[in-house]
Amino acid sequence: MSRFRQPLLLQPGDCIGVAAPASAFPVEAFTAAVAWIRAQGFQVRHRPDITQRLRYFAGDDKRRAEELNALLCDPTIKAVFCARGGYGTQRIIPLLHHEAIAAAAPKIFVGSSDLTVLHGWLQRHCGWTTFYGPTITHHFGDVPTAAQNWQHLWQAIGQPQPLGTLASGDLRIIKPGRATGCLAGGCLSLVHASIDTAYGPTFDDDTILFLEDRGEKLYALDRMLTHLAHADVLRHVRGIIFGSLALSPDEPNPADLDTMLADCLRDFVGPVVAGLPAGHCDPCLTLPLGAQATLHTDPLDFSIDTAGVLP
């Protein structure tokens, strides 16, 4: 049984709230995504000013925080999806209504990339199981893989059974072993930036750490992983699974990715696997952070062993 509080599963007809806690986004893509989700049989609610822009943000910090506070505390909203990632979620953490959100019934929260900040905060302060998965402007609407992304999401938030084995022929063994623990993590650069903050992921002594990122060079990934080790974060981790790690197009040695991972994690005791199709990729899996997971390399397998939602 999960140590985190699970939300109720999503059912057709339920109301989904859309938030934009981070970067601004193309209005056309947003409109198409909202219409697409409604066509799946759900109500969708968002603030009229969600399309505001301030520099690279979806409006100022106050607007973005008020939007999230309202959605997370509204009992008629069954799930909160995010318009996109980008940057800006860190800035609104001090403006969130901590006590009110923690006192509310847990609800489905879905997002990735910069939303890693909110996953960590909701787990640490509210004890919620959350879902690392699609953002609507990147994964729904006119996106060719929208149906696949929705299928993966629905398996995680619309059915009260464990996901089981997440089959992928792209998994690669970096270090062998077997581990079972509570799934935590997200975008590596955000996990790295959240160390010793109020929104850092919860790492207990039986953690399976999921990490993904995009657009970084090898040396930057090396630096962040080395920092996690030096900050003593990895001593709480039993196994590591990497999702999408699309390198910067300027990276001169992309073939060295697995070698770098093995080198950085040479002192890590536990299995390390790369190539899970989750994170900055399309189509993408949805992962219930806070669920129990098992990672082993003989045979090579990654499974989610507890459900992320309640019936």
Side-chain angles (χ1 to χ4, degrees):
M1 180 174 292
S2 174
R3 69 172 65 96
F4 293 100
R5 294 194 293 157
Q6 298 148 292
L8 294 175
L9 59 77
L10 191 68
Q11 300 182 69
D14 283 344
C15 187
I16 297 168
V18 180
S23 287
F25 47 83
V27 175
E28 298 81 5
F30 177 80
T31 301
V34 168
W36 194 92
I37 295 170
R38 285 183 173 139
Q40 311 313 304
F42 297 90
Q43 303 175 61
V44 180
R45 190 185 308 168
H46 60 81
R47 284 172 47 139
D49 62 359
I50 195 171
T51 57
Q52 280 190 4
R53 287 176 175 263
L54 175 67
R55 296 192 298 279
Y56 25 78
F57 304 119
D60 63 20
D61 293 349
K62 182 173 181 289
R63 190 213 73 77
R64 302 191 326 274
E66 287 178 348
E67 174 180 75
L68 200 58
N69 282 325
L71 292 174
L72 291 175
C73 292
D74 186 341
T76 68
I77 299 290
K78 297 302 177 66
V80 176
F81 292 0
C82 294
R84 68 160 292 185
Y87 168 67
T89 310
Q90 294 165 295
R91 293 171 56 108
I92 67 172
I93 293 295
L95 303 178
L96 296 182
H97 295 163
H98 296 211
E99 293 184 3
I101 296 170
K107 62 186 59 184
I108 294 163
F109 176 81
V110 182
S112 56
S113 191
D114 197 62
L115 290 317
T116 296
V117 172
L118 280 170
H119 288 290
W121 187 84
L122 287 168
Q123 287 188 355
R124 182 175 291 273
H125 290 277
C126 304
W128 291 11
T129 296
T130 60
F131 299 85
Y132 198 86
T135 55
I136 72 167
T137 59
H138 287 157
H139 295 103
F140 299 132
D142 294 331
V143 177
T145 55
Q148 290 174 267
N149 293 324
W150 183 263
Q151 180 183 17
H152 293 316
L153 176 61
W154 186 252
Q155 289 171 344
I157 67 174
Q159 302 179 39
Q161 293 88 30
L163 291 174
T165 296
L166 299 180
S168 173
D170 297 327
L171 291 181
R172 312 183 305 279
I173 299 171
I174 306 299
K175 293 189 71 174
R178 178 186 176 93
T180 298
C182 185
L183 189 62
C187 184
L188 172 58
S189 54
L190 274 300
V191 171
H192 166 262
S194 72
I195 293 174
D196 291 332
T197 69
Y199 46 84
T202 300
F203 295 111
D204 292 319
D205 285 335
D206 62 345
T207 295
I208 300 294
L209 180 58
F210 163 72
L211 296 170
E212 62 90 19
D213 217 316
R214 69 169 294 178
E216 300 286 355
K217 291 190 176 181
L218 283 175
Y219 79 85
L221 296 175
D222 184 320
R223 179 180 59 208
M224 290 185 280
L225 290 170
T226 300
H227 183 208
L228 292 186
H230 289 178
D232 215 19
V233 168
L234 298 185
R235 73 183 176 89
H236 300 286
V237 175
R238 296 292 171 261
I240 301 173
I241 184 156
F242 287 96
S244 173
L245 285 174
L247 298 173
S248 164
D250 298 326
E251 169 55 50
N253 300 302
D256 290 342
L257 174 61
D258 286 6
T259 303
M260 180 276 293
L261 294 177
D263 182 41
C264 281
L265 298 168
R266 62 187 179 278
D267 296 325
F268 176 74
V269 179
V272 180
V273 170
L276 188 72
H280 288 85
C281 57
D282 189 29
C284 69
L285 297 174
T286 297
L287 302 177
L289 301 181
Q292 290 293 301
T294 299
L295 176 64
H296 55 90
T297 59
D298 187 18
L300 181 55
D301 179 77
F302 176 62
S303 66
I304 305 297
D305 305 325
T306 58
V309 292
L310 297 173

